[in-house]
Amino acid sequence: MESTALVSRLSSALPQDLDIKAYYLSSEPTSTNALFSPLPGDTEEHTTGESHFLAISSPGHDDVKEVLVFAIEILIFTRDNLTTLFVSKADSSGFSSRLKASKGFPSVVSTIISAFVDYLLEPRLNRSRVVLSLFARSQNQYLFPGSIENPGKHVLDDRQLIKWWCRVLDPVLRLHSDSSDPPFKSSAHLVVPGCDRGETKAFFPPSSRRDSTSSPKWINSYPVELLVADASRPPRHLVPRFPDDPKSRFLDDLDGEFVDNQGNWRSIKTLDHFWEMMSYRQECSAGRLVGFLWLVFSPGQTIHAALATLDPLNKEGSATTSENNVPLPTPGNSQAQDHGEEKIGEIPSADVGNEINKLVSPPSSSPGPVPQELPSLFKSAIGASNNHSTSHTRNKVEEHILQAHSKQSSATQGQLVLNPSQYQTLMDHLLQIDFAGEEKAAESTMSWIGKALELTGTSTFGLRIRGERVLVQPDEPETANATPINMLTSVRKKRKADKTDENLTDPKTVDSNSASSAMLLSAGMVRKKPKG
């Protein structure tokens, strides 16, 4: 499928005359493991998962060969009242200097990330509460083997990386804010294990200093009540388990030690204690910091409501057990747009009764609680139902939800859509090729593209994108209180104080786009030559 919406979005965000090629693929939505562990005796809440992968290349011309310069993977988990986007990996190959943007524009990579995240986020905002989650951990390479050997690859340290992510995602946060129409409540939450509130605040983007102290956009906290329906549960059931995530590994280790019949660990009893102990984990210590970031968007609200109030009938658990779920594929395990008035999962009111009978068909003599995997429309329509539905009926309900989630995801599906097995094969192939040096990188680029065509049986892959945005020079110099740069809606001239951070180009690993800046000595380092 030609992803024209993504092409249009990237073209309008990127600087004029910039020429790139985008390779966008996604996996088919499938049932996957629930993000939050159910209480002992309960079954998992039905969750649908899909993977989205965007790779950017510098097109070949004349004697110059095409080379992949950047890639990002985002996993999407969908349940009835919460959609979670998890930034799994992002990496550069060391050749971003090939992307020659006009002077004065924000970095190409940061612009692409912001636009791609918003492309996946926007169609889902009217369906449910949406959370964007990631962890920032500095590492030499994530997706391009051998790329650390390329001199153009600049790896951010831990503090720089956390700040960079906050700056890149801040425009997305503010694009869907209290002033938008329809109204959204949006907030960003950052936890850096080992850092206190004051230290964590130093990672917030500069725009946070202009926010109201009574209603800040950036908060040093884990937004538990915005993510789970019952925040009084043991901490084991309040923290999501993402693929290749430091939190998930800690959760698994704690589970291996002891879990009682109420879901409690022996050693950790509260969320605060959990985050405190995270700071002692090897991934969060050893002289480097790891930042955990959540952006939360609540549609149709000007204040955040606890998740439980959005769907009072929602309870943890579903008729789908983990035995039927498939872990979402991700490279190496190292880490719908609304059209017209149609709503996902919605059916004409006259047909509600017939649909419910087809999906549930309980014995009329034995009413019980509503099956939790039913969409909210059905829950409110039937109130109570039988909890002893047959396996066949449960499968029909699960199939119905999967179809609804698939319809929702179709608005943002990739140019190539692979099944989970094909997707994993293609990602494994990427991790087995070599990007050390431009010649090898060009060969590996062609190898990866060829593998995608082989797996899908298609003849073409790749979207040519040419930037259209013109740099707007303001009539007057910007003041200290000027509106910050929004890479999704407008481009303004940056203040000199912002240039250093804006030139950082990659979340986990960063290419240097320009020659090294001149280093200035502080006054304390300048000494006068003694007389005589």
Side-chain angles (χ1 to χ4, degrees), residues 129 224-229 301 303-311:
R129 174 169 289 169
V224 58
E225 291 190 347
L226 304 180
L227 306 181
V228 298
Q301 301 175 26
I303 59 172
H304 271 315
L307 189 64
T309 65
L310 300 183
D311 186 1

Side-chain angles (χ1 to χ4, degrees), residues 88-89 135 137 139 142 243-245 249 330-335:
S88 172
K89 293 178 185 63
F135 72 93
R137 179 183 62 187
Q139 190 165 305
Y142 276 85
D244 188 35
D245 178 71
R249 283 186 279 275
T330 179
N333 281 336
S334 89
Q335 232 253 82

Side-chain angles (χ1 to χ4, degrees), residues 26-48:
S26 61
S27 67
E28 300 169 349
T30 56
S31 295
T32 191
N33 297 327
L35 294 182
F36 296 91
S37 296
L39 289 172
D42 286 355
T43 50
E44 290 187 350
E45 183 174 15
H46 184 274
T47 304
T48 300

Side-chain angles (χ1 to χ4, degrees), residues 119-336:
Y119 167 76
L120 295 176
L121 178 77
E122 187 175 0
R124 293 169 169 84
L125 288 176
N126 289 325
R127 311 299 188 186
S128 62
R129 174 169 289 169
V130 180
V131 57
L132 173 70
S133 178
L134 65 87
F135 72 93
R137 179 183 62 187
S138 181
Q139 190 165 305
N140 289 342
Q141 52 196 28
Y142 276 85
L143 292 168
F144 298 107
S147 59
I148 190 58
E149 299 180 22
N150 299 327
K153 185 163 187 171
H154 170 54
V155 181
L156 292 176
D157 66 29
D158 52 354
R159 293 179 179 273
Q160 290 175 329
L161 181 61
I162 298 170
K163 288 183 178 180
W164 191 91
W165 265 118
C166 291
R167 291 174 66 89
V168 168
L169 294 178
D170 187 62
V172 180
L173 176 76
R174 297 180 186 279
L175 187 62
H176 306 285
S177 63
D178 304 348
S179 59
S180 60
D181 186 21
F184 284 86
K185 175 64 178 179
S186 61
S187 58
H189 304 256
L190 178 66
V191 173
V192 183
C195 291
D196 61 24
R197 187 175 299 274
E199 293 173 308
T200 303
K201 191 174 180 180
F203 295 106
F204 292 172
S207 62
S208 65
R209 295 192 290 268
R210 295 188 290 270
D211 293 333
S212 166
T213 55
S214 60
S215 182
K217 283 291 183 186
W218 287 83
I219 306 166
N220 172 212
S221 72
Y222 171 55
V224 58
E225 291 190 347
L226 304 180
L227 306 181
V228 298
D230 184 1
S232 66
R233 291 186 168 191
R236 177 178 184 264
H237 310 283
L238 303 178
V239 181
R241 299 176 189 246
F242 295 112
D244 188 35
D245 178 71
K247 302 188 304 300
S248 302
R249 283 186 279 275
F250 189 25
L251 291 168
D252 291 341
D253 288 348
L254 290 170
D255 284 354
E257 295 174 2
F258 174 80
V259 180
D260 67 16
N261 56 10
Q262 257 112 50
N264 292 293
W265 295 312
R266 180 183 288 115
S267 56
I268 294 180
K269 302 297 184 182
T270 67
L271 268 179
D272 288 342
H273 192 197
F274 173 85
W275 288 111
E276 179 185 352
M277 296 307 296
M278 273 295 301
S279 65
Y280 296 101
R281 298 281 294 178
Q282 182 177 0
E283 293 168 292
C284 299
S285 57
R288 63 181 181 181
L289 299 173
V290 175
F292 297 92
L293 178 62
W294 300 267
L295 269 62
V296 186
F297 302 87
S298 298
Q301 301 175 26
T302 54
I303 59 172
H304 271 315
L307 189 64
T309 65
L310 300 183
D311 186 1
L313 291 175
N314 180 71
K315 295 182 176 67
E316 293 292 336
S318 84
T320 305
T321 65
S322 58
E323 295 177 359
N324 298 324
N325 295 333
V326 179
L328 206 58
T330 179
N333 281 336
S334 89
Q335 232 253 82

Side-chain angles (χ1 to χ4, degrees), residues 18-32:
L18 176 68
D19 192 21
I20 65 172
K21 202 165 184 180
Y23 295 91
Y24 176 34
L25 55 92
S26 61
S27 67
E28 300 169 349
T30 56
S31 295
T32 191

Side-chain angles (χ1 to χ4, degrees), residues 54 69 150 226 233-234 242 247 283 312 317 319 322 350 378 405 461 464 503-504:
L54 177 67
V69 298
N150 299 327
L226 304 180
R233 291 186 168 191
F242 295 112
K247 302 188 304 300
E283 293 168 292
S322 58
F378 297 155
H405 291 173
F461 183 32
R464 202 66 178 255
N503 285 334
L504 300 180

Side-chain angles (χ1 to χ4, degrees), residues 48 51 83 99 111 145 224 245-246 375 388 397 422 443 468 505 521:
T48 300
S51 303
T83 299
L99 305 179
T111 301
V224 58
D245 178 71
H388 305 288
V397 173
Q422 292 172 324
E443 293 175 2
E468 299 173 349
T505 59
L521 298 177

